[in-house]
């Protein structure tokens, strides 16, 4: 009984520890498993799928309009959701976002080189919009979870460190491994591989998110809106 008592705090929650830091850090690792592929989009759709570079620039401008409204729209939607969830509203949205990223991340790299030109353009725009929406659904509530895991400033600093480490490990791993996988010995793009790579990275991200969700304890009983919290750092890298 003494051991069990020592493992919980005054409110009956599991005491804060390395498990919380690891879980929160893996959330940012999961974000990066999807975000790391964003830089490959233009190369894939111009060099492999054959979309003209000038048209691609126009399509990128179009999806940037969605980028501008995506965060506030989805943030307002999450804030307005007053339903009671079994564990926590933000964790529920992170779960949904992780599933969506697994699918949408791969859809951004469908290797359908024989598709009509218009269809290719539609596939790019639709895939990007879906990916960006699900990324926000997972990423923005994730950034807000720090305020709910603990109210202690020292423990929050540890969570921030865990998030930075998770982000760094995810980003470095992707930047080192991706070029070796998507280019051949002659530095030619292997576009047909990218769909599989995106799918595998989506699965890795999904597993990381699930570990984070299952091992996160909400200890702070307060109302937190997404507008009050800083977004995950990886959200803006490369923008």
């Amino acid at each position: 009984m003494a051991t069990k008592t020592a493992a919980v705090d005054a409110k009956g929650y599991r005491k804060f520890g390395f498990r919380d830091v690891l879980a929160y850090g893996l959330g940012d690792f999961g974000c990066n498993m999807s975000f790391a592929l964003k830089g490959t989009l233009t190369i894939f759709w111009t060099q492999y799928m054959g979309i003209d570079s000038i048209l691609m620039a126009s399509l990128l401008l179009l999806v940037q309009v969605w980028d501008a409204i995506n965060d506030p729209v989805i943030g307002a939607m999450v804030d307005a959701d007053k339903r009671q969830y079994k564990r926590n509203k933000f964790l529920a949205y992170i779960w949904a976002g992780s599933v969506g990223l697994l699918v949408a991340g791969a859809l951004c790299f469908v290797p359908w080189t024989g598709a009509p030109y218009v269809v290719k353009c539609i596939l790019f725009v639709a895939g990007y919009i879906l990916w960006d929406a699900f990324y926000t659904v997972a990423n923005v509530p994730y950034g807000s979870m720090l305020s709910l895991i603990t109210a202690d400033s020292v423990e929050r600093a540890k969570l921030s460190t865990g998030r930075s480490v998770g982000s760094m490990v995810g980003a470095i791993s992707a930047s080192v491994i991706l070029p070796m996988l998507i280019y051949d010995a002659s530095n030619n793009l292997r576009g047909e591989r990218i769909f599989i790579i995106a799918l595998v990275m989506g699965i890795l991200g999904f597993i990381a998110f699930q570990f984070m969700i299952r091992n996160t304890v909400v200890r702070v009983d307060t109302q937190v809106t997404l507008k009050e919290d800083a977004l995950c750092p990886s959200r803006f890298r490369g923008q």
Side-chain angles (χ1 to χ4, degrees):
M1 179 64 69
T3 303
K4 184 177 180 180
T5 302
V8 299
D9 60 19
K11 293 183 178 180
Y13 297 121
R14 186 189 77 232
K15 282 191 174 181
F16 182 91
F18 177 74
R19 185 174 168 184
D20 297 275
V21 178
L22 175 63
Y24 197 65
L26 281 174
D28 208 310
F29 177 86
C31 289
N32 273 276
M33 284 299 96
S34 183
F35 191 84
L37 285 166
K38 186 176 180 181
T40 311
L41 274 172
T42 302
I43 298 172
F44 174 81
W45 287 96
T46 55
Q47 294 186 16
Y48 183 71
M49 295 295 287
I51 294 181
D52 179 75
S53 58
I54 296 177
L55 177 57
M56 190 66 196
S58 301
L59 294 177
L60 287 172
L61 180 61
L62 176 64
V63 296
Q64 289 306 309
V65 174
W66 167 250
D67 266 338
I69 64 175
N70 179 50
D71 287 352
V73 168
I74 294 180
M77 178 189 73
V78 176
D79 284 340
D81 187 353
K82 303 302 181 184
R83 289 174 292 179
Q84 294 296 317
Y85 291 86
K86 184 176 180 180
R87 291 186 61 200
N88 176 267
K89 177 174 71 173
F90 292 167
L91 289 176
Y93 275 92
I94 293 170
W95 185 91
S98 69
V99 175
L101 282 176
L102 173 58
V103 177
L107 287 178
C108 285
F109 299 97
V110 176
W112 189 9
T113 55
Y117 203 78
V118 173
V119 173
K120 290 180 182 179
C121 296
I122 294 173
L123 282 174
F124 167 74
V125 173
Y128 184 94
I129 288 176
L130 279 174
W131 171 82
D132 201 29
F134 281 117
Y135 189 88
T136 303
V137 168
N139 182 270
V140 179
Y142 165 75
S144 299
M145 283 304 304
L146 185 145
S147 301
L148 300 177
I149 295 173
T150 177
D152 185 273
S153 59
V154 175
E155 293 173 349
R156 287 186 175 183
K158 292 179 180 178
L159 290 175
S160 295
T161 300
R163 178 172 66 176
S164 298
V165 172
S167 173
M168 180 179 64
V169 171
I172 292 176
S173 300
S175 63
V176 171
I177 297 173
L178 269 179
M180 294 188 294
L181 296 177
I182 66 176
Y183 293 100
D184 61 19
S186 301
N187 207 33
N188 297 312
L189 183 70
R190 298 293 301 273
E192 72 281 359
R193 291 182 177 180
I194 300 179
F195 175 80
I196 302 299
I197 293 169
L199 190 59
V200 170
M201 291 180 68
I203 293 172
L204 292 175
F206 177 79
I207 292 171
F209 274 122
Q210 295 311 303
F211 184 92
M212 178 256 171
I213 293 168
R214 293 175 183 274
N215 290 277
T216 294
V217 176
V218 177
R219 301 177 178 86
V220 180
D221 185 17
T222 185
Q223 292 292 326
V224 175
T225 63
L226 300 184
K227 300 171 185 175
E228 295 172 353
D229 294 271
L231 301 183
C232 176
S234 63
R235 182 70 178 91
F236 301 101
R237 187 166 45 249
Q239 297 278 0

